[in-house]
Amino acid sequence: MRSAKLWSWIALIAGILYFFLPLIGMFEFSLRARRGEYSFDAYASVLGDPAFRATFGYSVLMALFTIAFGILLVVPTVFWVRLKLPRWRPVIEFITLLPLVIPPIVIVFGYIRLYNTSSWLPLTGSAMGTNLLLMFGYTMLALPYMYRAVDTGLRTIDVQTLTEAAQSLGAGWITIIARLILPNVLVAVLSGAFLTFAIVIGEFVLAALLNRPAFGPYMVWMGANKAYEPAALAVIAFVVTWACMALIQLVTRLSKHTRAQQR
């Protein structure tokens, strides 16, 4: 028993060192912009760069639109599949897993071929159309995570009984989804939303090939042209990602605490 615990602690410590040592080294390197001493000059340079603010702001805005569109797409779909089409659930799950096995570069070239300026729907002919196309691409990349988060949330409630009770009181489908289903799976939706945010912030292929001023291409450009700023930018990106994961844990714990108090 003691031997098993010892090996468990060894494996845990080895995993922590394997994950954190490169991050610590990268953070330490980002502080060496000033010769002979540590400083936050690289961080000041990155945060003061107008291109950083523009690209990060653009990606945040695209993430918000992607989250909103993903919720409007996934929540009604998962609700309807669980309520009316349970036999189609394996098929829907398989479809939502396709973005994990199809390379983004294949997807974006397909978008460009289908929606170029000479096609029947020339989305790439304008900035607004290209932004819309990019949002669709981001939604597809985040679909496996958003779908499974919402599906897991719906498993915890009796969808059939709640729907029948709401219909007996005269509620329509939009009312049922907006005022009954969505509040009950809000934690799951927020988990999917934070994961979507993290994906959009760091995505490179779609934004680069569609020529949009996103944060991912900016990070790659910075890495090719600067010395210490890329390390600082990577630390900032990790902090943003970890903040999203921490918010997921916080929302989940607050939800469990609220449910325990209600009981």
Side-chain angles (χ1 to χ4, degrees):
M1 189 67 178
R2 291 182 178 179
S3 177
K5 288 184 177 181
L6 177 62
W7 282 109
S8 298
W9 278 106
I10 292 175
L12 178 62
I13 294 172
I16 292 174
L17 292 176
Y18 179 81
F19 183 75
F20 280 102
L21 280 180
L23 297 180
I24 294 172
M26 181 173 60
F27 176 69
E28 192 268 343
F29 178 77
S30 70
L31 301 177
R32 292 188 175 186
R34 188 178 302 175
R35 180 174 299 180
E37 59 179 312
Y38 289 132
S39 70
F40 288 94
D41 291 351
Y43 293 89
S45 176
V46 169
L47 296 176
D49 187 0
F52 167 80
R53 295 192 294 269
T55 56
F56 188 77
Y58 175 85
S59 290
V60 169
L61 188 62
M62 289 299 300
L64 295 178
F65 280 113
T66 302
I67 290 168
F69 181 73
I71 292 173
L72 292 176
L73 175 67
V74 171
V75 174
T77 301
V78 178
F79 167 71
W80 192 255
V81 168
R82 294 190 67 86
L83 184 65
K84 297 291 186 179
L85 303 171
R87 293 183 179 181
W88 282 85
R89 185 179 171 190
V91 177
I92 302 299
E93 288 184 348
F94 173 77
I95 293 174
T96 60
L97 286 174
L98 289 179
L100 297 178
V101 297
I102 300 177
I105 193 169
V106 175
I107 296 170
V108 72
F109 272 118
Y111 282 171
I112 295 172
R113 182 64 181 266
L114 286 174
Y115 304 110
N116 57 44
T117 53
S118 61
S119 68
W120 64 277
L121 187 60
L123 290 178
T124 59
S126 64
M128 182 63 68
T130 309
N131 289 336
L132 188 65
L133 195 60
L134 182 61
M135 185 192 71
F136 291 153
Y138 284 158
T139 302
M140 187 185 58
L141 292 181
L143 187 60
Y145 311 100
M146 179 66 80
Y147 181 88
R148 264 148 190 78
V150 176
D151 185 60
T152 302
L154 281 178
R155 288 182 186 179
T156 62
I157 62 177
D158 191 343
V159 175
Q160 186 75 34
T161 302
L162 289 175
T163 303
E164 291 177 355
Q167 287 179 328
S168 67
L169 296 174
W173 290 112
I174 296 178
T175 303
I176 292 173
I177 294 174
R179 303 186 63 180
L180 184 64
I181 300 300
L182 188 58
N184 279 283
V185 296
L186 185 59
V187 174
V189 169
L190 289 176
S191 298
F194 290 132
L195 289 173
T196 300
F197 183 87
I199 291 171
V200 172
I201 289 296
E203 201 283 326
F204 167 74
V205 176
L206 294 178
L209 294 181
L210 289 175
N211 195 26
R212 302 314 299 150
F215 188 58
Y218 172 76
M219 288 193 294
V220 174
W221 176 87
M222 182 70 76
N225 294 277
K226 301 288 184 178
Y228 301 100
E229 285 81 356
L233 196 59
V235 172
I236 294 172
F238 272 115
V239 170
V240 172
T241 304
W242 289 345
C244 291
M245 302 304 294
L247 287 174
I248 293 174
Q249 296 296 324
L250 179 62
V251 170
T252 303
R253 290 187 179 183
L254 289 177
S255 175
K256 291 180 179 179
H257 182 67
T258 302
R259 289 180 182 179
Q261 286 183 337
Q262 290 175 352
R263 293 177 182 176

